[in-house]
Amino acid sequence: MNVRAPSSLPGRAEETLSSDALVTLLRAGGEATRLRILALLATAGELNVKDLTQILGQSQPRVSRHLKVLCDAGLLERIREGASVFYGVPPSGPGAMAARTILDLADAPDEPLSGDRERLAAVVATRREAAARKMGSFRNFYG
């Protein structure tokens, strides 16, 4: 059996998923930590495992397992940049549509999600400071 996404909704292309794929997708998005990861990536765009472990306060193996489940379901995509791997919500497809729908239903002022957003802001600030220091050292070296 295939499940068809409604094409009458604005901005939503007509796409299908097998019932098994739909169940996998719903199971992946239906867990508290994975919902937090989806919300963080929808806000930040892309994060790596190290960033997520700092924000969520969970171990690297645990976060990596959640990311694998979300990627296997199509709710997230892996983005390789050199030796690093970042994760983000895919820009299109059934997984992207499902991720947006799940996040639209999530309660924004929810305590874990708001705490995650505060920690995300700190991680982003640290990243910017490190990038500025690196650019400064390049300027000193080449300037």
Side-chain angles (χ1 to χ4, degrees):
M1 170 166 106
N2 280 344
V3 180
R4 188 170 299 282
S7 59
S8 61
L9 296 173
R12 303 223 170 141
E14 191 171 303
E15 302 188 40
T16 62
L17 289 174
S18 70
S19 57
D20 287 343
L22 181 60
V23 168
T24 299
L25 187 141
L26 292 171
R27 281 186 182 150
E31 195 277 333
T33 299
R34 292 194 285 267
L35 177 61
R36 291 170 64 194
I37 291 170
L38 278 174
L40 285 165
L41 291 169
T43 301
E46 296 176 0
L47 294 170
N48 60 32
V49 174
K50 180 183 174 195
D51 297 334
L52 289 165
T53 59
Q54 290 175 338
I55 295 165
L56 298 170
Q58 295 187 10
S59 69
Q60 178 272 321
R62 185 176 198 138
V63 170
S64 292
R65 174 72 182 137
H66 286 303
L67 290 168
K68 179 185 182 339
V69 169
L70 289 164
C71 287
D72 289 350
L75 290 168
L76 292 183
E77 64 180 359
R78 288 176 186 86
I79 303 142
R80 276 207 171 276
E81 290 185 17
S84 299
V85 176
F86 290 84
Y87 295 85
V89 177
S92 61
M97 183 178 69
R100 284 193 308 270
T101 302
I102 290 167
L103 292 170
D104 286 346
L105 295 170
D107 186 17
D110 187 73
E111 180 55 39
L113 296 178
S114 60
D116 290 345
R117 286 185 192 98
E118 290 172 14
R119 288 183 294 279
L120 171 62
V123 165
V124 169
T126 301
R127 242 198 224 173
R128 283 188 184 133
E129 290 168 7
R133 282 193 305 275
K134 192 171 191 173
M135 289 305 294
S137 67
F138 285 144
R139 276 188 230 124
N140 291 338
F141 183 76
Y142 291 107

